[in-house]
Amino acid sequence: MVEEQKIVRKTDPKFIEEIIEYGSKYFTKEEMERLRACINCGTCTAGCPSGRRTAWRIKKIFRRAQLGLKEDALKDEGLWDCTTCYTCAERCPRKVPTTDAVRVIRNLAFRSGVANPRHLAVCGYLFRFGHAVPINDETRVVRKKIGLDELPATVHKYPEGLKEVNKIVEETGFKKVVDEAQKEAQKKDEKK
Ligand code: SF4
Ligand code: SF4
């Protein structure tokens, strides 16, 4: 009985609506509604190349969405192990937009302050260098060798553009979300 009460407390029946509503900003509502059609057959998980090497089980995320297990879904670290290869989307017998739904759930996770530390590091590069993957010496050499300018015509070549990059990340609210996620990650580290 105690266990049952615990499960009921953790349930948010509106979670699936939230995913559908949020996902409908980027995909069609009709596609997102297909999430309700998942029968948890496991075909997606069986063909998932990432799941062969990690603990990521995509079908679990859809079950959690249907059951309203929001916290479990958003905090599933495997969410970040999906490579968005779309194998599952091609194989799903119920035409669930599996990969797109994962991207939507990741977005919701990120907005709620849950983020993969490696992704946060990449965001840091973007704020500092204007690139998620800044150029390195090796790439400079290769560029020169094949007759290109040593630096691409981006913030690397025009460092004054960095101010504009940072203005965009501030004004879109992206910086704020990343800062909050970093604070959450720090708190998590301190608890270890
Ligand atoms: S293959 Fe489709 S129906 Fe089957 S578990 Fe995955 S998402 Fe659900
Ligand atoms: S899109 Fe993601 S979940 Fe689907 S098969 Fe590829 S890695 Fe697995």
Side-chain angles (χ1 to χ4, degrees):
M1 184 66 182
V2 174
E3 273 307 299
E4 277 174 24
Q5 283 171 350
K6 211 169 139 194
I7 290 167
V8 170
R9 257 205 322 275
K10 280 169 71 183
T11 300
D12 177 353
K14 294 214 169 124
F15 182 43
I16 192 154
E17 309 288 345
E18 193 183 341
I19 299 169
I20 293 168
E21 282 309 311
Y22 190 77
S24 301
K25 291 183 187 175
Y26 307 100
F27 309 101
T28 68
K29 183 147 184 169
E30 201 186 356
E31 277 172 299
M32 283 293 118
E33 286 281 355
R34 295 296 306 164
L35 207 47
R36 300 184 199 273
C38 170
I39 48 171
N40 230 247
C41 66
T43 305
C44 50
T45 299
C48 173
S50 175
R52 271 179 231 142
R53 296 174 184 273
T54 68
W56 169 234
R57 301 288 177 265
I58 182 170
K59 73 167 190 163
K60 256 166 90 179
I61 212 87
F62 301 137
R63 192 73 182 133
R64 285 170 172 162
Q66 288 173 333
L67 294 176
L69 295 167
K70 182 174 175 176
E71 208 184 318
D72 290 349
L74 298 189
K75 291 193 172 163
D76 184 342
E77 289 183 4
L79 252 187
W80 309 99
D81 289 328
C82 165
T83 60
T84 66
C85 70
Y86 283 82
T87 304
C88 51
E90 290 193 323
R91 294 183 182 182
C92 173
R94 304 287 287 170
K95 301 208 179 315
V96 175
T98 51
T99 314
D100 295 337
V102 167
R103 293 166 63 201
V104 169
I105 298 168
R106 275 180 179 174
N107 246 297
L108 291 171
F110 199 72
R111 285 183 173 272
S112 73
V114 181
N116 181 307
R118 281 165 291 169
H119 294 164
L120 289 176
V122 168
C123 295
Y125 290 142
L126 178 69
F127 305 152
R128 241 176 102 196
F129 305 108
H131 278 267
V133 183
I135 199 163
N136 56 24
D137 291 345
E138 211 178 12
T139 309
R140 282 173 189 248
V141 171
V142 173
R143 286 181 63 88
K144 261 178 102 176
K145 218 186 224 175
I146 60 174
L148 292 172
D149 280 350
E150 196 177 329
L151 293 174
T154 63
V155 175
H156 282 320
K157 194 164 185 176
Y158 305 103
E160 63 278 14
L162 189 59
K163 264 192 199 158
E164 287 173 43
V165 171
N166 278 300
K167 197 172 170 196
I168 293 169
V169 295
E170 294 273 357
E171 288 192 3
T172 53
F174 182 63
K175 178 85 169 45
K176 192 169 169 238
V177 177
V178 173
D179 286 347
E180 278 163 18
Q182 268 166 341
K183 274 186 217 151
E184 282 301 313
Q186 215 171 336
K187 271 194 230 160
K188 219 169 141 190
D189 270 357
E190 284 164 7
K191 275 189 200 163
K192 278 182 191 169

